[in-house]
Amino acid sequence: MWTRRELIFAGAGVLARGGAPIGYREYARVLPDYLTGLARAAYERRNEAIARLTDKSSIAARQQWVRETLWRLSGGEPPRTPLETRTTGTFERPGYRVEKIIYQSRPGFHVPANLYIPAAGKPPFPGVLFQMGHSLNGKAAAPYQRCCQGLARLGYVVLAFDPMGQGERTYYPKPGGVLTRLGSADDEHTVPGRQMLLVGATATGMQLWDAVRSLDVLAAHPLVDKSRLASTGQSGGATLTMLLAAVDDRLACAAVSSGNTENFACAGFNPPGSTDDAEQNLIASGPLGFDRWDLLYPLAPKPLLIMASARDFFGTYSPNYLSSGREEFEKLKRVYTVMGAADRVDWIETPAPHALSYFLRTRIYAWFERWLHGRDPSEIAEPHVEPERDATLWVGVTGNTVRDFSSKTPLALVRERAAGFHPARLPAGQIAQLLSLEQAEPAPLVEVARIPAGRVELVAVDAAKVPAWLYRPARQDPSKRVLLILDPRGRSAQWGEDGLYQQLAEAGSTVCAADVRGIGDLRPEVGRGSPGYSVPHSSEEDYAWASLILGRPLIGQRVADILAMVRALPNTQPGIVIAASGQLTVPALFAAALEPRIERLYLASGLAAYRSILDFDDYHHPLANFIPGILANTDLPEIAATIAPRRVILAGAVDGSNTRMDAAQVSALYRRASNVEVRQEGKWDFEVLSAL
């Protein structure tokens, strides 16, 4: 039996018999406050670097650093391979003609595009790469067609291509259809974008490379003046323009319309921050002091127009969208001023909602007319435009590159990359490094309150801001190990008098049921701002993205919480057994690899292997467990093997689609882990847990 002196009391927080108040933590603030601290450090680190940009040489060094850093964060710059460009059709309209072209940004990865060519004027013409926002039909979206047609009639060659997951590049189409079966174009980016993380790639890198190769196509056209290349786009297309501006110095001019011109680590950070779809989340950028506005610095001193919808902070972006954008614009303008080009950068706001409206299109025309054609833009108006039917613009017969050109999908590229990996057993130090685990001081076990609960004593405890219930039996069976339970439903899922935890304690086990960050009482509060943005962005997935951006994957934070509780529990013999279910089996396994006091693991209905997530288009596993580049280093079977000779029981393990696997399949995956016992059923009951 433990004595009271083995627990450290929380002073006034202890419930006295006289009914003194209990001092509770605001557990809903734990994860938001942690991320806020990381964001504040990133914000200050970047501000210090920007403040040093006082001359052209320091600016040039920062520009080069941005180029190199973006490629590194996005997965590396791929090699240029043959584009294999060909034309599949053409049609003419008053003032311009359209060529339908197809090319390969990577071998077998096809990009369909429309090339708008002026019918009048003297070539070579300025070339504009038009990048799409998140329209389901990609380049066929009416506002984007209007802008492309308007630019063509004003004397620009315009290349408009479908981004990954949109238009003819929809990779999750409805059966027999054209457009996506997923919820949105954002999902078309993010569903494969999560899988890319496992192999050390990113949707950022994939979309950026499509843009670079598309600019290659545009620059190579005989009617295009290579010294007058520009990029523009709306919303996600504006953000892609920012990404392109960071790495490709061929751009002579750019116009960013309603892009994600909000830094993630900004003043007044509002957890989980301005998370977005996969390509807009710059993984591990926070510790470097690198953020979205850095993408625009390499363009200086070339002309840059930034336009924002003032209504976007109500829901399209976060509540900090305008305040962050205005603050960062002033920092960038100071750099332009140092370079003697203050008149070449501008910020325009419109009260209109998030769309490429007539006003924004005419501002793009005026900006390009001024800087690419050298014309007076003061009286600019949009020429006559008339959007075409989607099918008229299709490069292929059926409107899908996979069907029409046997194009690879993003997932196919991910699988090709994964095929070259050979997961290995890693020492504890490398495992901790993969998790980006922070070194933490040992945390004492603090007793918050204790109450009698029939034949057991129920104690509310806390270690390193990790809340738990501690069930202490009246008579502890010395042969039984301390049982630490991790349930994704939270520590109170089965706490009551007839609940599982109390039954286990009545049978002589000391039971600790704990929450970890984002689970149970540690679920984060909803952030500030419009509920249209803040409520949907309070999800576990958004907190997982935020954690990845700030360089501390959520799984690593949860492993730290488990280790804090294990190390705070009194050191008894025999040792500690962890029983974890569902998504918490993965952090439990990593924790056991790092802490020898964990003598045994029982993992119910958990993921068998990260690699199986790549086996399915329609996978189901939470981003909270994703670790960038994990498959280039190791996988769960190898982690389990490092724990030997300590025992691991896998019960009812599931594949990447969250479907229970046959025990024989699981045994084959873990054949090199002699310490692993595989069971078919993922039982979670008294009979199983009391026998651990």
Side-chain angles (χ1 to χ4, degrees), residues 355-650:
L356 189 58
S357 62
Y358 179 88
F359 170 74
L360 295 179
R361 296 198 302 274
T362 56
R363 294 309 88 203
I364 292 171
Y365 303 152
W367 192 254
F368 288 166
E369 285 291 271
R370 177 183 179 186
W371 296 108
L372 296 179
H373 267 147
R375 299 171 182 163
D376 180 6
S378 58
E379 299 298 326
I380 195 72
E382 185 169 71
H384 174 73
V385 293
E386 189 173 341
E388 308 283 348
R389 294 172 55 250
D390 289 14
T392 303
L393 299 175
W394 286 353
V395 175
V397 175
T398 72
N400 186 279
T401 56
V402 177
R403 288 193 299 261
D404 295 333
F405 302 99
S406 299
S407 176
K408 295 178 181 177
T409 66
L411 179 53
L413 296 178
V414 169
R415 288 170 176 164
E416 287 178 2
R417 185 162 176 160
F421 296 150
H422 302 286
R425 299 182 189 183
L426 303 179
Q430 284 184 250
I431 294 172
Q433 188 174 10
L434 273 175
L435 294 167
S436 297
L437 201 65
E438 289 184 292
Q439 293 294 325
E441 294 294 324
L445 195 68
V446 176
E447 180 180 315
V448 178
R450 67 171 63 203
I451 57 175
R455 293 184 295 275
V456 301
E457 187 174 42
L458 177 61
V459 187
V461 296
D462 178 299
K465 301 181 182 178
V466 178
W469 295 122
L470 193 63
Y471 293 81
R472 296 176 58 183
R475 290 187 177 182
Q476 183 172 348
D477 184 341
S479 68
K480 290 185 177 291
R481 298 163 176 83
V482 177
L483 182 59
L484 175 58
I485 291 181
L486 302 171
D487 189 325
R489 297 170 297 175
R491 65 176 173 143
S492 297
Q494 300 190 57
W495 79 276
E497 292 182 42
D498 298 317
L500 176 60
Y501 311 153
Q502 184 149 335
Q503 292 178 37
L504 292 166
E506 289 174 352
S509 295
T510 297
V511 178
C512 180
D515 287 334
V516 293
R517 263 172 272 193
I519 296 293
D521 293 331
L522 285 171
R523 287 182 60 193
E525 66 182 14
V526 175
R528 305 181 303 275
S530 167
Y533 179 89
S534 298
V535 172
H537 279 76
S538 64
S539 71
E540 180 186 81
E541 171 132 345
D542 285 285
Y543 273 91
W545 278 119
S547 298
L548 289 168
I549 294 167
L550 292 170
R552 299 291 180 185
L554 188 50
I555 183 174
Q557 297 175 49
R558 289 176 172 174
V559 170
D561 290 343
I562 296 169
L563 294 176
M565 184 57 67
V566 167
R567 292 165 180 171
L569 288 170
N571 194 2
T572 61
Q573 293 295 331
I576 294 171
V577 173
I578 291 183
S581 67
Q583 72 181 88
L584 293 186
T585 61
V586 181
L589 182 63
F590 278 104
L594 297 171
E595 177 50 67
R597 285 189 61 199
I598 301 171
E599 184 180 302
R600 184 177 299 175
L601 285 175
Y602 177 77
L603 307 178
S605 305
L607 182 68
Y610 278 114
R611 178 60 181 80
S612 69
I613 295 173
L614 307 186
D615 292 337
F616 303 93
D617 281 345
D618 190 21
Y619 63 93
H620 294 282
H621 194 74
L623 181 67
N625 279 342
F626 281 51
I627 304 170
I630 182 69
L631 290 177
N633 294 277
T634 190
D635 203 345
L636 302 182
E638 285 67 39
I639 297 296
T642 67
I643 298 171
R646 290 173 290 152
R647 188 176 170 201
V648 179
I649 302 171
L650 299 180

Side-chain angles (χ1 to χ4, degrees), residues 175-197:
V178 177
L179 301 183
T180 186
R181 67 176 187 268
L182 304 181
S184 67
D186 292 36
D187 293 326
E188 282 269 347
H189 302 169
T190 299
V191 168
R194 297 190 206 102
Q195 293 169 310
M196 292 177 202
L197 294 178

Side-chain angles (χ1 to χ4, degrees), residues 134-430:
H134 295 169
S135 52
L136 289 176
N137 57 347
K139 63 187 180 303
Y144 306 154
Q145 286 196 57
R146 289 188 175 98
C147 196
C148 292
Q149 292 176 15
L151 286 167
R153 296 194 66 189
L154 288 169
Y156 301 84
V157 174
V158 182
L159 181 67
F161 69 97
D162 278 332
M164 177 186 86
Q166 296 170 238
E168 294 184 83
R169 295 178 76 193
T170 299
Y171 298 113
Y172 304 84
K174 297 174 183 176
V178 177
L179 301 183
T180 186
R181 67 176 187 268
L182 304 181
S184 67
D186 292 36
D187 293 326
E188 282 269 347
H189 302 169
T190 299
V191 168
R194 297 190 206 102
Q195 293 169 310
M196 292 177 202
L197 294 178
L198 298 176
V199 299
T202 65
T204 307
M206 187 165 285
Q207 297 238 47
L208 173 56
W209 192 241
D210 284 348
V212 169
R213 299 316 314 272
S214 296
L215 192 63
D216 287 346
V217 172
L218 180 64
H221 198 281
L223 297 179
V224 170
D225 182 350
K226 297 178 182 61
S227 69
R228 291 185 292 166
L229 295 175
S231 180
T232 189
Q234 161 71 15
S235 187
T239 307
L240 291 177
T241 290
M242 295 164 64
L243 290 166
L244 182 64
V247 301
D248 204 316
D249 60 8
R250 290 175 295 178
L251 290 181
C253 187
V256 172
S257 177
S258 300
N260 202 337
T261 49
E262 172 183 8
N263 267 5
F264 184 82
C266 60
F269 181 77
N270 184 22
S274 54
T275 56
D276 216 303
D277 60 334
E279 81 275 5
Q280 300 186 57
N281 296 329
L282 303 176
I283 304 303
S285 57
L288 303 177
F290 183 91
D291 222 317
R292 291 171 182 141
W293 271 81
D294 282 307
L295 302 174
L296 295 171
Y297 279 68
L299 191 67
K302 299 172 184 177
L304 171 63
L305 174 64
I306 306 164
M307 300 182 291
S309 162
R311 192 179 180 278
D312 272 349
F313 76 100
F314 283 111
T316 303
Y317 298 119
S318 96
N320 291 328
Y321 178 64
L322 287 180
S323 59
S324 174
R326 292 166 181 163
E327 175 189 347
E328 295 302 329
F329 174 75
E330 292 303 321
K331 295 173 188 174
L332 181 61
K333 188 169 183 178
R334 286 196 291 272
V335 166
Y336 268 80
T337 300
V338 169
M339 302 182 84
D343 62 330
R344 294 189 177 191
V345 64
D346 201 5
W347 169 277
I348 295 175
E349 291 180 21
T350 172
H354 188 89
L356 189 58
S357 62
Y358 179 88
F359 170 74
L360 295 179
R361 296 198 302 274
T362 56
R363 294 309 88 203
I364 292 171
Y365 303 152
W367 192 254
F368 288 166
E369 285 291 271
R370 177 183 179 186
W371 296 108
L372 296 179
H373 267 147
R375 299 171 182 163
D376 180 6
S378 58
E379 299 298 326
I380 195 72
E382 185 169 71
H384 174 73
V385 293
E386 189 173 341
E388 308 283 348
R389 294 172 55 250
D390 289 14
T392 303
L393 299 175
W394 286 353
V395 175
V397 175
T398 72
N400 186 279
T401 56
V402 177
R403 288 193 299 261
D404 295 333
F405 302 99
S406 299
S407 176
K408 295 178 181 177
T409 66
L411 179 53
L413 296 178
V414 169
R415 288 170 176 164
E416 287 178 2
R417 185 162 176 160
F421 296 150
H422 302 286
R425 299 182 189 183
L426 303 179
Q430 284 184 250

